[in-house]
């Protein structure tokens, strides 16, 4: 009798994937994803772009019917609000046996600002805290602001700088280790792509955060971290396909001159870093040490700490880092700013081919594991007529 282990493995010869897009400009997003479609075609994988309709979310189930995998580019927030409805439908689709990347449950772990808190013990971490409620913010934030002088407050979900504020205490605390509610603060919103800021009181700032806590069905919240002064030097964005670095981007802020405000307060440098990205190849020698730290230290520790398997990592994601203060033990440190796993655009030229290869490998591993491919029904996918 033949050994079952010697039986031929099933082969997925013609994988089909749907690329789901949700953004304020889906046609533009789809156009920017054409290199991904082309790379999948080169890898003998058919891909079709499907635009998610917030007015009819359940339609997505039919639009991706007959596909083996769904790749998602969806901003956390658009003019239509959060992506809650999309995430619910994606979970339904994943339950039918279709591979979804990135799975909403994985995004909840690594693609929200909560990752700043859950990985603060790593060498990229900082004194970061989570505020589940407005009451927690009022009770805990004043003391931390008094201790730091400046902190960056972030909504748990957002994109394009939405829900991110730099808060600076203009005068010392009250001598009791905290800042009074009437204390004057300078607030700069990262969404403003310049050095615009407002002067207000700490109480007024915290009261203005109230809408964050009612977002996402009441699960919205804030995190904060100390201000990293070397943000003035820009960000280093590290692109990964699952656990492998596929490139970097340097995002340098434009030069800004310190200009005194009417109260003599230095005007802050641009917080949103609104500058073009300079793409850098993954094997550039200047980034070899950073690449090793990502692949060998930070990403494995991230997976272990958050219980995410290598296969569950997003197909394409990025890690934004700010240069930290050098020490004797770490002469070139970095501080985690955020992780983007929802809609990574733009990306390095090396990314599409690596993504296509990883997608095929993942689909083949699924087939080998279960012995069959996900069921298909219907002569064709409804999504083939829904592209932008």
């Amino acid at each position: 009798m033949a050994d079952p282990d010697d039986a031929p493995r099933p082969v997925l010869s013609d994988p089909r994937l749907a690329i789901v897009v949700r953004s304020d400009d889906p046609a533009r997003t789809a156009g920017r994803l054409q290199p991904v479609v082309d790379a999948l075609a080169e890898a003998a994988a058919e891909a079709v772009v499907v635009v998610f309709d917030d007015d009819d979310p359940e339609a997505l189930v039919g639009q991706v019917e007959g596909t083996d995998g769904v790749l998602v580019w969806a901003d956390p927030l658009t003019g239509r609000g959060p992506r809650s409805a999309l995430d619910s439908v994606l979970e339904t689709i994943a339950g039918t046996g279709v591979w979804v990347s990135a799975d909403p449950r994985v995004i909840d772990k690594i693609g929200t600002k909560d990752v700043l808190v859950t990985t603060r013990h790593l060498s990229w971490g900082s004194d970061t805290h989570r505020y589940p409620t407005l009451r927690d913010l009022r009770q805990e934030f004043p003391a931390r602001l008094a201790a730091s002088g400046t902190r960056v407050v972030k909504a748990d979900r957002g994109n394009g700088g939405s829900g991110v504020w730099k808060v600076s205490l203009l005068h010392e605390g009250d001598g009791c280790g905290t800042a009074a509610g009437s204390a004057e603060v300078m607030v700069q919103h990262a969404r403003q792509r310049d050095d615009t800021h407002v002067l207000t009181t700490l109480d007024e700032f915290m009261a203005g955060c109230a809408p964050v806590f009612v977002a996402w069905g009441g699960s919205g919240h804030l995190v904060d971290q100390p201000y990293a002064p070397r943000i003035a030097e820009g960000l280093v964005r590290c692109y990964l396909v699952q656990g492998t670095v596929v490139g970097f981007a340097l995002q340098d802020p434009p030069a800004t001159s310190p200009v005194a405000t009417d109260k003599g307060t230095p005007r802050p440098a641009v917080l949103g870093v609104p500058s073009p990205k300079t793409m850098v190849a993954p094997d550039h020698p200047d980034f070899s040490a950073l690449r090793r730290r990502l692949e060998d230290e930070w990403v494995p520790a991230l997976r272990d700490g958050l219980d995410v398997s290598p296969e569950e990592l997003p197909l394409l994601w990025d890690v934004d880092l700010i240069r930290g203060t050098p020490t004797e033990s770490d002469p070139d440190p970095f501080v985690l700013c955020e992780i983007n796993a929802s809609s990574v655009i733009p990306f390095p030229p090396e990314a599409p081919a690596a993504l296509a290869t990883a997608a095929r490998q993942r689909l083949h591993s699924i087939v080998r594991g279960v012995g069959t491919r996900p069921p298909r029904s219907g002569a064709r996918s409804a999504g083939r007529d829904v592209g932008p």
Side-chain angles (χ1 to χ4, degrees):
M1 183 175 180
D3 187 335
D5 290 338
D6 295 332
R9 295 289 189 181
V11 176
L12 186 62
S13 59
D14 57 341
R16 303 177 191 173
L17 296 109
I19 297 177
V20 176
V21 169
R22 180 183 187 261
S23 74
D24 284 322
D25 190 347
R28 179 171 181 265
T29 300
R32 299 172 79 185
L33 291 173
Q34 189 59 46
V36 174
V37 175
D38 294 341
L40 287 167
E42 287 288 328
E46 181 183 3
V48 59
V49 175
V50 176
V51 176
F52 179 73
D53 184 357
D54 280 278
D55 291 327
D56 188 10
E58 295 299 328
L60 184 63
V61 176
Q63 291 165 356
V64 304
E65 186 180 6
T67 63
D68 303 290
V70 174
L71 311 182
V72 184
W73 271 262
D75 288 333
L77 297 173
T78 71
R80 301 299 302 276
R83 51 175 282 175
S84 309
L86 171 60
D87 288 346
S88 178
V89 177
L90 290 174
E91 289 182 7
T92 298
I93 292 169
T96 68
V98 176
W99 171 53
V100 175
S101 183
D103 189 291
R105 291 166 294 185
V106 175
I107 290 180
D108 284 344
K109 293 182 179 181
I110 72 172
T112 67
K113 304 303 190 297
D114 286 333
V115 74
L116 298 172
V117 179
T118 53
T119 67
R120 64 186 176 185
H121 61 286
L122 303 184
S123 60
W124 70 17
S126 58
D127 179 36
T128 308
H129 300 272
R130 184 177 187 268
Y131 303 94
T133 68
L134 181 58
R135 181 181 179 181
D136 293 317
L137 181 70
R138 292 184 183 279
Q139 290 180 338
E140 301 173 22
F141 181 66
R144 293 192 179 113
L145 180 62
S148 299
T150 300
R151 294 188 73 84
V152 179
V153 179
K154 304 180 177 183
D156 58 314
R157 294 174 184 261
N159 48 274
S162 60
V164 177
W165 301 270
K166 175 188 174 186
V167 184
S168 300
L169 186 64
L170 295 186
H171 308 287
E172 293 183 4
D174 61 6
C176 300
T178 188
S182 59
E184 191 175 29
V185 294
M186 180 172 64
V187 179
Q188 185 181 8
H189 198 304
R191 187 71 173 178
Q192 301 296 326
R193 298 301 190 175
D194 54 31
D195 57 4
T196 300
H197 61 280
V198 298
L199 301 180
T200 185
T201 67
L202 179 55
D203 271 346
E204 289 172 343
F205 166 72
M206 292 188 293
C209 294
V212 173
F213 296 97
V214 299
W216 297 88
S219 66
H221 53 275
L222 292 172
V223 303
D224 79 335
Q225 64 183 145
Y227 176 67
R230 293 185 72 184
I231 185 66
E233 300 174 29
L235 294 173
V236 179
R237 176 163 287 184
C238 315
Y239 297 89
L240 299 101
V241 168
Q242 295 192 316
T244 302
V245 173
V246 294
F248 302 90
L250 302 180
Q251 193 169 0
D252 300 323
T256 56
S257 300
V259 178
T261 68
D262 55 358
K263 295 198 175 185
T265 304
R267 178 168 292 175
V270 176
L271 181 62
V273 199
S275 61
K277 297 176 179 63
T278 302
M279 295 295 177
V280 178
D283 57 355
H284 194 289
D286 289 351
F287 293 88
S288 59
L290 178 56
R291 179 176 182 174
R292 286 195 299 273
R293 294 193 78 173
L294 281 161
E295 294 182 346
D296 300 339
E297 177 187 348
W298 289 328
V299 172
L302 171 77
R303 289 195 297 97
D304 291 345
L306 301 183
D307 192 25
V308 175
S309 70
E311 295 78 17
E312 289 177 314
L313 287 172
L315 210 57
L316 178 63
W317 55 300
D318 71 63
V319 176
D320 284 355
L321 299 171
I322 305 169
R323 294 190 182 276
T325 302
T327 63
E328 186 174 344
S329 60
D330 192 351
D332 193 18
F334 288 90
V335 178
L336 178 63
C337 177
E338 66 178 1
I339 291 177
N340 301 295
S342 295
S343 183
V344 177
I345 299 177
F347 38 72
E350 294 85 357
L355 182 155
T357 298
R360 278 199 62 97
Q361 290 175 345
R362 179 62 185 141
L363 289 171
H364 278 294
S365 69
I366 292 172
V367 168
R368 287 194 298 270
V370 302
T372 59
R373 66 190 299 163
R376 289 180 176 170
S377 60
R380 61 183 174 85
S381 167
R384 302 183 194 284
D385 298 326
V386 188

